[in-house]
Amino acid sequence: MTSVSIIGGSGYGGGELLRLLLSHPNVEIKQVTSRSHLGEYVYQVHPNLRKRTQLKFSDPAALEPVDILFLAQPHGEAQHHIEEYSKLALKIIDLASDFRLRDAAFYEQWYGEKHAAPEWLNKFVYGLPELHRAEMATANYISGVGCNATASNLALLPLVKADLLDTSSPIFIEIKVGSSEGGAEGNSGSLHAERANVIRTFSAFGHRHTAEVIQELGVKDVSLTMTAVDLVRGVLATAHAKVKPGVANKDLWKAYRAVANENPFVRVVKEQRGIYRVPEPKILAGSNYADLGFELDESNGHIVAMCAIDNLMKGASGSAVQCMNLMMGWDEAAGLEFMGLHPI
Amino acid sequence: MTSVSIIGGSGYGGGELLRLLLSHPNVEIKQVTSRSHLGEYVYQVHPNLRKRTQLKFSDPAALEPVDILFLAQPHGEAQHHIEEYSKLALKIIDLASDFRLRDAAFYEQWYGEKHAAPEWLNKFVYGLPELHRAEMATANYISGVGCNATASNLALLPLVKADLLDTSSPIFIEIKVGSSEGGAEGNSGSLHAERANVIRTFSAFGHRHTAEVIQELGVKDVSLTMTAVDLVRGVLATAHAKVKPGVANKDLWKAYRAVANENPFVRVVKEQRGIYRVPEPKILAGSNYADLGFELDESNGHIVAMCAIDNLMKGASGSAVQCMNLMMGWDEAAGLEFMGLHPI
Amino acid sequence: MTSVSIIGGSGYGGGELLRLLLSHPNVEIKQVTSRSHLGEYVYQVHPNLRKRTQLKFSDPAALEPVDILFLAQPHGEAQHHIEEYSKLALKIIDLASDFRLRDAAFYEQWYGEKHAAPEWLNKFVYGLPELHRAEMATANYISGVGCNATASNLALLPLVKADLLDTSSPIFIEIKVGSSEGGAEGNSGSLHAERANVIRTFSAFGHRHTAEVIQELGVKDVSLTMTAVDLVRGVLATAHAKVKPGVANKDLWKAYRAVANENPFVRVVKEQRGIYRVPEPKILAGSNYADLGFELDESNGHIVAMCAIDNLMKGASGSAVQCMNLMMGWDEAAGLEFMGLHPI
Amino acid sequence: MTSVSIIGGSGYGGGELLRLLLSHPNVEIKQVTSRSHLGEYVYQVHPNLRKRTQLKFSDPAALEPVDILFLAQPHGEAQHHIEEYSKLALKIIDLASDFRLRDAAFYEQWYGEKHAAPEWLNKFVYGLPELHRAEMATANYISGVGCNATASNLALLPLVKADLLDTSSPIFIEIKVGSSEGGAEGNSGSLHAERANVIRTFSAFGHRHTAEVIQELGVKDVSLTMTAVDLVRGVLATAHAKVKPGVANKDLWKAYRAVANENPFVRVVKEQRGIYRVPEPKILAGSNYADLGFELDESNGHIVAMCAIDNLMKGASGSAVQCMNLMMGWDEAAGLEFMGLHPI
């Protein structure tokens, strides 16, 4: 068994990682740290794990060497400790945003502060298997992905790979998100009485995850608009773009099917009947799938490209486990078999 | 007291109209029809009206003359009966979509069928007071408004009135809607277990309400994208457009404030602090306000213009009552005083 | 116009009071205090009030004399300041729990601490009009009501008034509540991601509101069990009790109708058809109604008595305004006309 | 591989069964029938199964022999066809209510009609492993369980097994349920706009599942009260009873722990800290666990016993798979490993 530890296990991303690793056939969890819940059973914070583990949260200062170290801390922590972490484990997977961008100046532009360990930026592979599967096979350091960036990148991936986008037109990506994106800490607006029933466009543009779309897809004129809706888990990205002149539905089908065929966790959802004709995050809770769909207005080339994911799975912990599998040469889907529920 | 009757009182729009008219200082409800609930007390269908009225649903075939007739039927009914209705009442307000478009060919283009009473199209004033207040003072026939069209039209109204839009760029309007838009009949996808927790982009473009935006604002390259979210009442339109070169935040503030000053039910919501910084439909349930907001990306002229309404109020029955007030020369806000709730 | 001020206006009870008083025909709001939001517009905290008032939160230390003073502070504050408050206003209505119980020892038993102003306890009338309407006409001091106590007291009121209860059997009251009961401050369990979708029996017995049921109804063997469900506003009390031998459905109908006839805000809901056959809080949001219902198992005398209210209205601010109306000799329903919404 | 078929695969119970059997290590699904969706891919109805199976719904008239036959039809169907079904498979597991009761007269009393195959009633074992594990090892026919009956039976099981209940006192079981209990067909009250935000006590007593509690636990004076709340999956039973004189918390702990130790899918939840101190269905979505808890009022012997389950899992399809495992001598937990999600 490969030994793994998690730094920062009491947040939502850490809890989801725990769930996945506890049922993973190849790994054994050695330590899970939490300062605020030190000494508590992990199931007291993540009640779904009751009767499945007797692990307790340990002190991050008492970490022992391990095969793989997962970092599930708030943004901005890992870059200050990466040197010490690298002495504890040969392989590191970070779920936070510290090592997602390759360029220090680009990082500073989007995060408004200098990176604390710029020399590490190029050691990390960006953690989206659909874009970096081959590199992961030989990587030791893999970054996390932004959940909104992932929904955006996968929505547009078939169009970019098949070179169907009219890149002279701006791309507007409208993203609707559930409350678990806000994390286990929350703020005054996260209170149920304020957050329930909302349709709240809390960020019109300028969201940090935009940087990951620019870097990974090479698109320039792209904006992400964030709207909170009443749901706990789930993201839907609805991207508005223009296709190149002459691009027709058959070209799109070909492009989407190609991506779905190459990637075990990508599905195309575009049905003519039934209730579930388009990608929807609700049926993805707990699953690692990214469901893609599209509609083309052939009269003007307007394409509406959609991607639905569970922000805590494909948008965070699920992708991290998928990355681990690829990094270790294991079955890409190991530990990620849960299909999602219907109804839910 | 002015006498009013409602044809089609068992649907959601009819119920809301009943609520408003029951507390209106100047009117008396004479008849409310429903075929499917004939003879039942209206409070058995609309339980909020219990202890407020002993009205029963009556037969549409037994309608008596009245001062004002409200039509709250499903789309496509009124155009077949408008001649007979016009003999029952001097003034008619239709909530459905039968008389919203002025041009029969344009109607056919969007509704896919010939209009049954094209000679009546020009007798109706489009029922949005913010666009047709003056005409309403002398009108006898006023149409309804599409709820999604209203959110879209009001989101863009300040930009159009102040001529700030770059009309050479396409306008993408992303609309998020609650389940009451689907009406009291519903379909398989309206079942709670399927409709709860959804983020479902059920129409990428081509929604019929688009026609009302084109007609009323004179914009040409506009699309409405519809996404169902988990909420009962409420619509948020988030419009993406480009402003003309040189347009700055101060121009926008001026344009938005002007519209809010001229219209008692328009408010500008753009705060720097607190939870409620942007327009949100949740606090508008039962109120007739349209809350407008905007964000301008000065680097590229991208404007995100928002409008939140209650689809059954400002998007349907509330606007209809406001139109009645204007048509009758009454206080524009009579019967529409409810402020909405917080929290909810 | 009668002048009123509110101490503690930024909480949910205070906000609802503001909404009601702003549309009340006989009063003028002089001051609204809040330490945490000092100087802010009240609409920045209660966004439904935008365009309806330009009031700002003022300093509680700068209160001026007024006709009626409303206290909407957290529990335990008012008892320490009641002497000074009584110098500011001849009439005081407290929404908190400080002056609900008449007996200092009983208070200590349920609140676990000595009361700071026991000599004031007997000056207050318990603020439920359905029980103390006559006394209110001459009162200067009226207490608040616990929302769960109110749902419980009104569920059982017809049975107690008509002496139909078998008091030798225990009464179990199962109460389901929305999240606004938790207040605007909240706790870790109030976070949307944790509070959404819950059915959480957070208090099996021993809830403080039980004391108000014992005091007001004179029942002894009664317990309240509290379960949080996914809703913002609303309480449903489902009381299980035994009726005296021989009590039949017709006796119950008579008892319930009598209470509904005597009280403008009480309705009986017991239908044989339609969707809304029993009391339900969802249609009561914003309304001051208490909807009562019952089912009797004639085989064993088991009665299930139900009461639905909006916890912020009939369970708090609505009752407070109703008390003010009675105390001032005004129309009991003034300012409380809103009917509630359907659907919602 | 053992071959299995499902009759009635398009409902919620059938869909959940499909999900579980598709990932079960020992079985292969041969046929899944549906009249209304004949010829459609199962993933068009159960969208979570996309990319996991290419099965299509087949005609129930074309069923082939198989090792195990699952019946997931509406109530009242199976009893008319059990003879023919028994010729298709040696082993049958029925999810409906047709074969849950052992006594034909008792069946008629609760279902209001004569049973069509009374001679089959005694061939079936009641499908709750926690009560009939040993018999299942040699059974060929296993019945389904009512979801509300299961929550009730498991809530009381430790008290009954340890003989701690005062059976001279009535037992009131308050059950709160999500919308998936209503099934995929629904009714007018199942429409999202009507069903959202509800707290609806739709059955005060007399629910058919009561019969299963009486039969299985041997209690006599028991009633189930059903309240619909806003949730898709989940049931919480909160049972009010009296314990025998002298029974203390330590006796209860012993009784509950014993049941949890004997049953892999039973957990005791009774924490002093954290958010999740009591059983809650929300974290059980998709899992087969039954979470039990209790609170004892030592002053009067009032016990509040709780059980939370996912109605489609432990309350239906999960228990059915657990029964299959026991009937076949397989690992009791095979195919039922999913832990549930947090947050959700």
Side-chain angles (χ1 to χ4, degrees), chain C residues 79-97:
Chain C
Q79 58 189 273
H80 295 285
H81 301 283
I82 186 66
E83 286 290 347
E84 51 187 287
Y85 293 159
S86 70
K87 287 167 192 150
L88 289 169
L90 191 64
K91 292 178 183 289
I92 293 178
I93 296 175
D94 180 27
L95 276 76
S97 55

Side-chain angles (χ1 to χ4, degrees), chain D residues 109-141:
Chain D
Q109 176 190 334
W110 283 93
Y111 285 83
E113 57 182 13
K114 284 207 180 306
H115 197 283
E119 69 281 11
W120 276 85
L121 290 177
N122 268 310
K123 299 185 184 173
F124 274 80
V125 172
Y126 185 77
L128 195 64
E130 288 72 18
L131 283 167
H132 299 281
R133 186 175 284 108
E135 298 154 73
M136 288 177 181
T138 58
N140 281 331
Y141 304 111

Side-chain angles (χ1 to χ4, degrees), chain B residues 84-99:
Chain B
E84 49 186 288
Y85 294 158
S86 70
K87 287 165 192 152
L88 289 169
L90 191 66
K91 292 179 183 290
I92 293 177
I93 297 176
D94 180 27
L95 275 77
S97 54
D98 291 55
F99 300 103

Side-chain angles (χ1 to χ4, degrees), chain A residues 19 40 44-46 48 50-52 233 260 263 266-267 271 273 289 337-338 340-343, chain D residues 19 40 44-46 48 50-52 233 260 263 266-267 271 273 289 337-338 340-343:
Chain A
R19 175 179 77 81
E40 291 180 49
Q44 290 180 298
V45 172
H46 305 298
N48 52 330
R50 186 184 296 270
K51 213 170 183 172
R52 300 300 278 265
R233 278 184 187 231
N263 294 287
V266 172
R267 305 188 291 198
E271 297 286 337
R273 60 186 296 178
Y289 286 113
E337 295 86 357
F338 180 64
L341 298 170
H342 171 252
Chain D
R19 176 180 75 81
E40 291 181 48
Q44 290 180 299
V45 172
H46 305 298
N48 52 329
R50 186 183 295 271
K51 213 170 183 170
R52 300 298 278 264
R233 280 186 186 228
N263 294 286
V266 172
R267 304 188 291 196
E271 296 286 336
R273 61 187 296 179
Y289 286 112
E337 295 86 356
F338 180 62
L341 298 170
H342 172 250

